[in-house]
Amino acid sequence: MRKHYLILIALMVVAALYPVVSPVYLTVAISIFLFIGWATAWDLLGGWAGQVSLGHVSFVGIGAYVVAVGVEHYHLPLWLCVLLAMLFSAMLAYCWGRLTFRLSGPYFTLSTIAIAETLRLIAINETWLTGGATGVFITELPEPFGIDLFEKWNQYYMALLFAGLCIATVMFISRRKFGYELRAIREDEQSAMAAGINPTKVKLRAFMLSAMLTALGGCIYGIFLSFMEPHVMFGLLMSIQIALTAIIGGRGTIWGPAVGAVLLIVSGEVFRTTFAQANMLVYGLLILLVILFFPRGLVGELVRNMVRRGYARRTQS
């Protein structure tokens, strides 16, 4: 596990130097880091616990809107808005999980879509709070230690730290009792219960942690966009993108969501400039090929092959 931390530190250092060496494509880089963090946070529930959610965009929207409304309308300190967003998301995840963890398979997934759609409709209709369908702007932000948060460089480093925090959290959990409990529930919930594990309690902890991290990324995303609109911030498309990022990279792995984010965001940008109007067709074909030939995701298949080779060497010796 120590090598994973060393790899993370090395990648963080390289990424931190990127704007200094070549300050181009910062917007793309920010998107990559945000999706790395969101997909890694989603994977805590969707990969490690095996509960596929298509409603995680709810926490992105909560993070963005709490920052926008708190700073713009109520003039709250930014740090307080971030804490409130994470707290609200954890509370929602707890109630959400209590209601829906009785369901399994596609029924749980459908319930997450329904809850996310409910929040989107609330954001559209409660104009006194969210600005309704017209959205809400962030026109000014506090400058902690003189740092302009509207500056792309600063947004880049915030997104980088967010991605690093999410990956480090999964690394920490993966070798702890909590991580083994999540894997046991994912593989066989009945056997996990027989071993004395409370599946609902463990999944609730994973869901709450996943929601808090996702909301933290939503706060950064709100600052990055400076404009919140319900159809974007609570749209099903973003939930699908977050889930696909983790699935294509490899669910239940440390580096899978990061690999998936780099692949999908970079390929999306390349196809948009190269294939113009046909970019979504090529993009969809890429996703289809990965799912067909790498059913466990890119990193998932790599890990599986490494385990099989190691097992074969041990049995031969």
Side-chain angles (χ1 to χ4, degrees), residues 130-202:
T130 64
T134 57
V136 58
F137 282 92
I138 300 178
T139 58
E140 59 180 354
L141 283 170
E143 296 186 3
F145 307 105
I147 299 174
D148 182 7
L149 297 180
F150 286 121
E151 175 62 45
K152 280 290 183 288
W153 277 46
N154 296 324
Q155 294 171 358
Y156 173 91
Y157 286 115
M158 286 192 295
L160 173 61
L161 290 173
F162 166 63
L165 173 64
C166 292
I167 294 174
T169 300
V170 172
M171 286 181 184
F172 179 79
I173 288 173
S174 65
R175 293 299 179 184
R176 297 299 186 276
K177 179 184 176 183
F178 182 39
Y180 291 113
E181 288 175 339
L182 287 172
R183 283 189 283 257
I185 292 169
R186 178 188 64 198
E187 297 302 326
D188 192 331
E189 190 167 316
Q190 297 300 320
S191 297
M193 291 175 65
I197 298 172
N198 185 333
T200 301
K201 182 179 178 181
V202 173

Side-chain angles (χ1 to χ4, degrees), residues 3-4 175 183 186 252-253 296 298-316:
K3 68 178 182 180
H4 287 292
R175 293 299 179 184
R183 283 189 283 257
R186 178 188 64 198
T253 63
R296 291 176 178 82
L298 297 173
V299 176
E301 290 291 338
L302 177 63
V303 171
R304 175 173 175 269
N305 289 334
M306 290 174 62
V307 171
R308 291 178 65 181
R309 289 171 185 171
Y311 178 75
R313 284 196 298 267
R314 287 193 297 270
T315 53
Q316 289 173 1

